[in-house]
Structure formats: C-alpha cells, structure tokens
Amino acid sequence: MSTLGAQRSHIKLARDYGVLLSAVGLFVVLAVASAPFRTATNQLNLLDQWSTIGIIACGSTLCIVAGGFDLSVDAIFALSGVIAAWTTVHLGSPVLGLLLGMASGLVLGLFNGVLVTIGRINPFVATIASSVVFLGIAQLITQGSVIAVDDTAFSELGLKRFGDLTLPALAFVVFAVLSAVVLARTVVGRKLYAVGGNYEAARYSGIAVDRVQIFAYAVSGLSASIAGVLAASRNSSGQADLRTELAFQAITAVVIGGVSIYGGEGTIPRALVGVLILALIGNGFNLLAVDPAYQQVLLGTIIVLAVAVDAWARRTQR
Amino acid sequence: MSRPLVELAGVSKRFGGATALAEVDLTILTGEVHCLVGENGAGKSTLGKVVAGVHRADEGILRLRGEQVTFRSPRDSIAAGIAFIAQELAIVPDRSVLDNVFLGREGSALSVVRRRAQLAEYAALAARTGFDVDPLARAGSLRLAEQQKVEIMRALARDAELIIMDEPTASLGGAEADQLLRIIEDLRAEGRTVVFVTHFLADALAVADRVTVLKDGRLVRTSPAAGETPDSLVTSMLGRSLGSMFPDARVDGPSDGDAVLQVRALSRPGEFAGVDLEVRPGEIVGIAGLVGSGRTELVETLVGLRRPSGGSVRVARTNGPFRSPRHAQRAGLVMVPESRKDHGLVLGRTVRENVTLPHLDQVSRLSFVSRARQTAVLETLLPEVGLDPRRIDSPVGELSGGNQQKVMFARWLFERPALLIADEPTRGVDVGARAGLYALLRKVADEGSGVLFVSSDNEEVIGLADRVLVMRAGRVAGELTGEVTEDDVLRLMFADETREEIA
Ligand SMILES: Nc1ncnc2c1ncn2[C@@H]1O[C@H](COP(=O)(O)OP(=O)(O)OP(=O)(O)O)[C@@H](O)[C@H]1O
Ligand SMILES: [Mg+2]
C-alpha cells in the first residue's frame, strides 16, 4: 500500500466535476448571451418556478438512494391538492385543508412503501398502480371537475412573500436543507445508503430494512404533497387531471446530478445541481427563443449520458 | 523449454493514489501451471485482471505469443483464448446454471440457442469435472461453492488456452478443492496454461510448475515450485517468517461460567434437525462438515435470519430464537456471514460506514452521526483486526478481498459480543493475516466472549477450536475434544460411507 487517502475512481471524479462544470458553464453562457437572464428578478422567478420540481427531486433522491423508485409523485401532487381544496370548501377551514393535504402525501407514501416492502411488489409496478388508484380517488372527490376555493386564507399561502422569496421558493430551500442534512448526517441517512447499496448486507447487519424503505417512500410522498398543496393554493383550486410530468422531470434532474438510479449513492447537493441544469436549459432556451424541440433532444441526450456514466463508474468499481 | 505465452514487461497499475502493481516483469510459459501468491493487497487479482483485459495497465507492455497486445475489455482477451475466473464471482443470478456456463458463447446473435446440444455438452463438462450441479437451477439460488463450480465450468466451456483462476478454492470444501487441483492437472495434460491465485500454499506447491511471489505490487521472485516450501514462500510474501499459525489454546481451559450459547433440539425441515450445541465464555467451538451439511443454515438460524421449526436458543441471559439479526445483536449474538460481498459489505460506502452500520446508535448523538466518535473507535479497532487506519475513508469496494474480510470482523467486534459467530472466517485471507485473525479470535475468547465458527478447512478447525463439532446431513454427527486429528474429523464427516465400506 503506498499513498493512501481519497481514492475515488477517475470516472467518478470526472462525473462530479463534469456535472458541476456544466452547470457553471451554462450559467456563464446564459449570463453572457442574455441580458434578461442576468436580472435578479429572472433568477428569483426561476427559483419560484422550479420549486415544485426541486422539492420533489429532494424526495425522489431519498427514495432512489434507498434503492426505491417513486413514479406516483404526480398522482400524489394532484390528490393532495384536491384534498386540501375539498377540506377547505366543505369543512370551511383552510388551515385544516392545508394540513390535511400535506399529511395525505405522507400517508400515500407510506402506502407505497408498504406495497414495495411488505407486498414485495416491484417499485415501478407498485407506484404506477398506486398512481392510478390515487388519481381515481382524486376523480371521485372532484367528480370530474375542478374544486375552486374561494377563500383568501387558502390562496394567500402560495403568493406569500418573505423578502424576495415566495413561499414555494422558501419551502424548496427549507426542504432541500432538511433532506440534505438527513441524508448526509443522520443515522437514518446512513441506513438509507446501506439499504440501497446492499439490501442483504443491511439486513444481515440488523437494519430494519423494510422500515427504512417505507420511510423513504413516505418522504417522497410528503415532498409531492407539499408541492401539491402549494400549487393548489396558488391556483385557488384542486383538480384531479393535472397533466404534469413531475416524476419524469424530478428523476431526470436527480439522474443528471449523478445520483445513481441503482441506489446506494448520491447526495441532495448533486440532485440540486441536476435541477439547476434543467432550469438553466429551460430558461435559456426560452430567453434565446430556440425551438423547444431542440430542448427535448438535448435533455434526452443528457439523460442517456448521465445514466451511462453512472453505469460506467459502477463497472470500474468492481 | 516451452515458449512464452504471456509476457508482462514493466507493467504498473495505480488506483487513485494506491499502487497495485509496480513495474512487474513476468513470463507465463505455454503449458505451465503458474501460481501467484502474496499477502492481501499484494496485487495478485490486479495482475490477473490486467492479463484478462478487465483493467488496463498504466504503464508497461503485454505480449501474447510474442506479439504486443492491448486488451480493451474482457471481450478482447476472451477472443484471444483467455478465460478469467474472478475472485468475486460474476454469476447472472436470474439465469439458469446452463445459461451461465454458456454465457457469451451463444453463437452469433441470430442463431438459435440450441438447448439440447448445450445440455449434452454440459453433461460432458460435468463428467469431466466431477461437478454435480443441476443445469436448470437458478444460478442465484446456489450456494457459493456451487456458484464457484459454475464459474469454473464456464471457463472450461470457452475452451480457452489460458485459464486464470483467482482463488477458485476459497469457497470450496476440502474434497472439492482437491477435485479442482485434479482438473488443473488435466488441463495441463491437455497442453493448456493455467494461472492460479491462492492462499493455500500447499495447494500451490502441489500443482504448480512455477510460483511467483508478489509483495506490495512488486514481483519478489519467480521460481520453480520444486525448489520452494510453504515456509520459504511465507518468508518472501511477508518479508519475515511466521511462527506458528495458530495461537495456543487457553491454558486454564474455558471458564465454567454460564454458557453464552445454549441450543437444544433446534430443527428446520430439510436443513438440520435436533441440533444441541453449547458454547461457554472463553471457548472457541468449530463446526466442520461437508459443504451442504447444514452448517450455514444452522448459524443463520441462530442469528434470526431463518425461523426454526422447533427447539430452543438461549444467548447469555436472553431467550431466543431471535426474530431478526437486530434482536440477536441486542442479546449479544452477532455473525460474520459466509459471503461478504452478498451479505456483508456495502461496497460503494467507506470502511467507516461499513464498520459502524450496526452500531449507529453508539456513534451518534440525537440521531446525528458523529464522525469524531466513529474515528475515535475505529482508530484502535482497525489496527486490532489488521487494517491500516488510514483506510478509514476508502470505499470498501477498493480494498483487496482479504482486507474486506477484516472490515467484517471490525464491524462485529465494535462492541464485544457475548457470542461471535463466523462462517468461513478466513476465506480469501492471506497466511499472515490469517494468523492475525486466529490470534484475534483467541483474544476475543480470552476476554470472555464465546466464539463459534464454521469452516471447510479442517486444519483450521483443528488448529483453532477448543472443541470441534462435525455436522453431517443436518445433524451433529459427533463432538471432538482434546487432541483432535484430521482423520477423526474426516471419519465423522463421511461416517455413512465408511460404515458401508466396513460392511
Ligand atoms: N478497483 C480498485 N480501486 C481502487 N483500488 C483498488 C482496486 N482494486 C484493487 N485496488 C487496490 O490495489 C491493491 C492490490 O489489490 P488486489 O486486489 O490486486 O490484491 P490481491 O493480491 O488480489 O489481494 P487479496 O489476496 O486480498 O485478494 C490493493 O491495495 C487494493 O486496495
Ligand atoms: Mg485478490
């Protein structure tokens, strides 16, 4: 054994710096090419716009690190908003509505976790199936239309400002910090990595593997419902057929950032860099008025690259 | 003399800051059996991987049949007639044994896989090797030793000219290991070349034509096996000679305090039945037996990984059976499992994280993991198991096989358990480190814990254990104390067969 110390493989280093450099590079290019991009208003707007995906990306990161996968965040996003709106309208309490809406994500996430762990159903299948169920419930509650909420206390939340930050933006920052700390510093975080990295080894080590994965799905559900309630508040309504692509976008961001889809690896800061890259690409293409079709092509390419580099880095680890 | 088949000239390989191979010059002759020996981390596997195209040398030249070659991937080396059996097995768990054996040899993409022809060829392979593995079984469901056989058959099925085996006997029992040595001799008789990495020096000397000793990534010497002895190899591997392999048994014998483990009539259908077992504090008990005799199933049941159908378990003052490893750990019962890669380590995470994984409560405050507390414990714990404490933040996947095993011991000695179980404790561990682990187990026992281990290496069982249990077909066939000989153990292991011979 000669020189010791940090010995991460070159590929992983290249990936980490590569992702960071691309983000910085994009930022600089946009700042130079577009005057509107440089404005503080644009940046704050970006933060506000991407708060939904940002929050959900944090939840997804925990889930993916633990070896899970949650495709039901779109459904939870919609259903939690519907629950918040319905409660506010029918029980007359916006506070209760907002709280119930957020809590619903936790419960729905727990449900996913139980399906995957105790039910031993493949995560893709389980969360796609539960999506259908959740959206069905949302349809039943809204009876196919939109639940409009005529309550200022309800609607104010999404528009509230703290200094320059909107409430969703603030929620994003807080959620990101909290999940980063949980993942990097706490006992539960260590267990998430262990369970995702080697499920059997974690089990042999006496980790309550099922509980840890259920926790991860619960957090993922919670992230979707926080985002969902904030969106419902901003829209002053809850509706079941929100056609979003949150799961896709959040997972894209996470993967671009270099969180391994095979589990056991990745951090919140990396996922956030992924969100940043997505945001910059979207914003840049808009500001520079490039055909959105190119944006799709570029995104697809980046995803494939990110996943390939991940698989590559894993292979050399053996 | 025969022609050189593979030549390495000035080959170096670094991983990050660590040098795995330094300017190695090595010639492998056509038709020879060439053994590589050396301590854990000496670079044996890396050398094999460079020749097999898994790794690319940073410097130096690789020649095959006199021509310089560059292997970009194992595919290239396979095409050149080289088969590599990795130390960490590469089985496709969800495919059948048959598919695994013929993996990569299915013919062109369009040709239909001809199952009947494959089955026939498989039968021929099985006859040639004497390996008896169900071709239609799911490879992932096989025990480690069987998976190892599948890997060996895969290499043979490729009809390679050069076969590199990295510790192929590590997970095989004595009889199967002997079988493999015979296969190697057959291969040589067919004119094939074999590179054989092993920690069993007697095996190495028995089959090898020439032996190469590596130390710290450098080649110490290559010499004819006939001129070497296990001692001479150990001396150049370690740079010092090794006193006795096994520590002395405790002078005053095990204390007669209450047993730390008391097992009565423990059974699990199809695996083991009516097992009685007792371990006292300060005592080391070894379980010998053939692969498949139910030893791993028994110890996995003790730590709560399997449910017994009947019988009782008591550890120190707690009554089992335990529902999970966590419950067993609380009672003071922990286990180093047989397969460190599948059941032990999270390869992508650091030594620090792997060791403290089951003890997070002790190294955290208010649910926050304290690096300082981890470091404080690991700084004394790692040297105790023979690991360099500067490795604390290396991902475990980057450690050599033997050092990974030491991480497993560090994990379960973090807190002194009432009873430490180790399933094949020295698999893949070099002689020097093995002596270190034996001494460690003795020390753990002397400090008052009980130790129970399973081993397919009878010499190890006899040398280390105060008391030996022999299991056969799921039952304890007998117990041996005092001066135990290998013959005694074998007689119990094969009791049925010998009885037939007598009759
Ligand atoms: N993929 C890798 N990344 C980083 N370091 C590695 C990697 N593979 C091996 N090493 C390092 O290279 C050195 C040589 O390792 P190698 O696996 O060749 O040893 P070995 O002689 O086969 O040991 P063992 O007997 O324990 O199997 C060790 O210090 C090891 O930590
Ligand atoms: Mg090795």
Side-chain angles (χ1 to χ4, degrees):
Chain A
M1 277 177 249
S2 57
T3 354
L4 301 158
Q7 285 168 10
R8 272 202 279 167
S9 83
H10 298 313
I11 297 175
K12 275 197 213 160
L13 283 178
R15 170 181 71 187
D16 290 355
Y17 286 107
V19 170
L20 204 58
L21 281 180
S22 342
V24 173
L26 265 174
F27 197 90
V28 171
V29 167
L30 285 176
V32 172
S34 156
F37 175 84
R38 288 195 293 267
T39 59
T41 329
N42 181 47
Q43 318 261 327
L44 286 170
N45 267 340
L46 268 184
L47 187 63
D48 180 66
Q49 272 168 28
W50 285 83
S51 59
T52 301
I53 285 162
I55 291 172
I56 294 177
C58 292
S60 300
T61 303
L62 257 71
C63 195
I64 290 174
V65 163
F69 218 81
D70 188 356
L71 293 173
S72 71
V73 286
D74 291 290
I76 295 179
F77 178 84
L79 179 53
S80 61
V82 166
I83 288 175
W86 189 91
T87 313
T88 308
V89 170
H90 291 268
L91 303 182
S93 165
V95 177
L96 187 65
L98 297 168
L99 285 179
L100 268 185
M102 289 194 201
S104 70
L106 211 53
V107 175
L108 300 173
L110 282 174
F111 175 74
N112 280 330
V114 169
L115 282 187
V116 170
T117 55
I118 297 165
R120 298 194 181 284
I121 303 173
N122 170 292
F124 290 87
V125 179
T127 55
I128 287 180
S130 64
S131 293
V132 178
V133 175
F134 298 163
L135 283 178
I137 297 173
Q139 295 279 4
L140 284 177
I141 297 176
T142 57
Q143 288 165 335
S145 66
V146 177
I147 302 182
V149 185
D150 190 15
D151 186 321
T152 44
F154 183 89
S155 314
E156 254 175 14
L157 197 66
L159 302 168
K160 220 181 208 128
R161 284 180 166 275
F162 297 84
D164 284 340
L165 288 182
T166 59
L167 183 69
L170 184 70
F172 173 29
V173 172
V174 171
F175 197 82
V177 170
L178 282 182
S179 44
V181 169
V182 166
L183 202 51
R185 296 247 179 274
T186 66
V187 169
V188 143
R190 277 312 128 80
K191 292 181 179 173
L192 289 168
Y193 282 115
V195 170
N198 187 342
Y199 181 89
E200 283 298 316
R203 193 167 75 92
Y204 274 64
S205 300
I207 305 291
V209 282
D210 287 351
R211 240 187 272 166
V212 171
Q213 282 196 328
I214 291 175
F215 169 81
Y217 281 98
V219 172
S220 177
L222 178 66
S223 70
S225 64
I226 291 176
V229 166
L230 289 172
S233 156
R234 183 166 289 183
N235 298 337
S236 300
S237 69
Q239 63 189 99
D241 52 353
L242 281 176
R243 275 282 150 255
T244 53
E245 284 183 333
L246 295 175
F248 177 72
Q249 299 220 45
I251 290 167
T252 303
V254 169
V255 169
I256 290 178
V259 174
S260 170
I261 44 168
Y262 302 102
E265 250 176 85
T267 62
I268 294 290
R270 280 198 200 172
L272 294 180
V273 173
V275 175
L276 178 65
I277 290 180
L278 274 192
L280 290 179
I281 291 177
N283 190 230
F285 274 71
N286 284 343
L287 290 178
L288 303 177
V290 186
D291 186 339
Y294 286 112
Q295 188 178 335
Q296 299 287 327
V297 174
L298 181 64
L299 265 185
T301 314
I302 294 179
I303 295 173
V304 171
L305 261 177
V307 175
V309 169
D310 178 35
W312 216 28
R314 291 204 147 232
R315 196 126 37 91
T316 53
Q317 195 185 82
R318 291 291 135 89
Chain B
M1 268 315 280
S2 47
R3 286 169 301 108
L5 179 65
V6 175
E7 292 163 276
L8 284 82
V11 167
S12 299
K13 176 76 193 172
R14 274 174 296 275
F15 293 103
T19 304
L21 288 177
E23 295 161 30
V24 170
D25 298 312
L26 175 69
T27 303
I28 293 162
L29 301 173
T30 310
E32 76 168 337
V33 175
H34 195 124
C35 273
L36 299 180
V37 298
E39 282 181 285
N40 293 133
K44 306 178 295 293
S45 297
T46 308
L47 181 59
K49 286 178 185 167
V50 167
V51 177
V54 178
H55 290 324
R56 234 159 115 178
D58 297 328
E59 284 153 34
I61 299 175
L62 182 64
R63 277 193 219 98
L64 183 68
R65 299 181 196 95
E67 278 175 44
Q68 188 173 335
V69 287
T70 313
F71 293 145
R72 270 177 303 273
S73 72
R75 210 184 147 85
D76 293 350
S77 75
I78 291 170
I82 298 174
F84 177 64
I85 303 175
Q87 181 173 10
E88 307 296 352
L89 299 181
I91 288 280
V92 187
D94 287 326
R95 309 294 303 178
S96 69
V97 167
L98 193 70
D99 289 348
N100 269 283
V101 167
F102 295 108
L103 189 72
R105 236 207 52 184
E106 291 86 354
S108 72
L110 286 180
S111 71
V112 180
V113 181
R114 283 168 308 147
R115 200 152 180 91
R116 198 166 309 152
Q118 283 193 342
L119 276 169
E121 195 180 340
Y122 183 86
L125 266 177
R128 176 171 159 204
T129 54
F131 290 161
D132 177 24
V133 186
D134 175 8
L136 301 181
R138 204 178 67 91
S141 71
L142 301 178
R143 63 183 67 249
L144 213 57
E146 313 264 278
Q147 294 189 354
Q148 181 74 66
K149 294 180 191 171
V150 172
E151 286 260 3
I152 292 165
M153 285 196 271
R154 179 193 294 166
L156 296 180
R158 287 197 177 138
D159 199 28
E161 185 178 0
L162 169 64
I163 299 175
I164 305 171
M165 304 187 182
D166 196 353
E167 301 197 32
T169 53
S171 58
L172 298 181
E176 289 154 326
D178 288 345
Q179 242 169 26
L180 182 71
L181 297 186
R182 272 199 301 281
I183 294 171
I184 292 178
E185 281 169 353
D186 289 350
L187 289 170
R188 172 173 46 201
E190 290 172 13
R192 293 178 209 276
T193 310
V194 178
V195 172
F196 181 37
V197 178
T198 185
H199 285 298
F200 295 104
L201 302 177
D203 287 359
L205 293 175
V207 291
D209 297 299
R210 296 196 302 156
V211 184
T212 290
V213 180
L214 290 173
K215 180 168 173 53
D216 299 334
R218 296 186 178 275
L219 191 145
V220 179
R221 76 184 126 98
T222 300
S223 51
E228 298 282 354
T229 63
D231 274 347
S232 69
L233 290 180
V234 167
T235 309
S236 31
M237 277 167 59
L238 306 185
R240 63 185 160 88
S241 72
L242 188 67
S244 74
M245 192 71 194
F246 297 102
D248 294 335
R250 198 165 147 151
V251 242
D252 49 349
S255 73
D256 38 31
D258 285 343
V260 284
L261 175 70
Q262 213 162 16
V263 176
R264 291 280 167 267
L266 199 68
S267 302
R268 225 180 105 82
E271 293 178 353
F272 53 88
V275 173
D276 292 333
L277 175 65
E278 214 170 68
V279 181
R280 316 201 139 268
E283 191 181 31
I284 302 183
V285 175
I287 305 183
L290 291 176
V291 170
S293 57
R295 299 171 301 167
T296 293
E297 291 80 356
L298 171 67
V299 290
E300 288 197 348
T301 306
L302 293 180
V303 296
L305 285 158
R306 300 167 190 245
R307 291 286 160 78
S309 61
S312 68
V313 176
R314 186 180 165 84
V315 172
R317 274 173 297 282
T318 316
N319 280 320
F322 302 104
R323 288 191 359 245
S324 74
R326 201 155 30 102
H327 291 84
Q329 188 191 346
R330 261 183 229 146
L333 173 58
V334 301
M335 178 176 82
V336 174
E338 181 179 17
S339 168
R340 56 176 171 260
K341 187 183 159 210
D342 293 333
H343 301 145
L345 299 168
V346 188
L347 290 178
R349 312 302 300 178
T350 59
V351 171
R352 172 197 300 278
E353 283 185 42
N354 271 282
V355 171
T356 55
L357 183 57
H359 317 286
L360 287 169
D361 291 341
Q362 276 97 289
V363 292
S364 60
R365 193 176 296 152
L366 300 172
S367 274
F368 279 78
V369 178
S370 151
R371 278 179 72 86
R373 283 196 195 185
Q374 288 181 325
T375 311
V377 183
L378 293 195
E379 255 166 10
T380 53
L381 184 58
L382 295 184
E384 208 178 346
V385 298
L387 271 174
D388 187 337
R390 286 174 299 170
R391 284 273 183 167
I392 187 167
D393 286 314
S394 302
V396 169
E398 294 180 3
L399 300 185
S400 75
N403 285 332
Q404 293 182 352
Q405 185 70 353
K406 296 175 195 167
V407 173
M408 289 303 300
F409 274 94
R411 172 187 291 169
W412 292 119
L413 292 174
F414 185 97
E415 271 179 301
R416 283 299 135 98
L419 180 76
L420 172 69
I421 299 180
D423 196 352
E424 305 287 357
T426 58
R427 167 163 299 158
V429 175
D430 73 58
V431 270
R434 208 177 321 157
L437 282 182
Y438 294 147
L440 175 68
L441 289 178
R442 177 54 70 191
K443 180 170 162 243
V444 170
D446 283 346
E447 288 169 6
S449 302
V451 174
L452 176 68
F453 73 98
V454 169
S455 174
S456 298
D457 178 353
N458 289 333
E459 205 183 314
E460 173 172 291
V461 176
I462 294 165
L464 181 62
D466 299 314
R467 196 147 55 82
V468 178
L469 296 185
V470 181
M471 281 188 72
R472 172 169 27 93
R475 294 185 174 272
V476 177
E479 183 177 318
L480 302 162
T481 40
E483 283 296 308
V484 182
T485 67
E486 186 137 14
D487 251 17
D488 300 334
V489 176
L490 288 174
R491 198 161 299 137
L492 285 170
M493 273 166 66
F494 292 103
D496 279 336
E497 284 89 323
T498 43
R499 201 173 306 138
E500 270 165 27
E501 268 172 37
I502 295 164

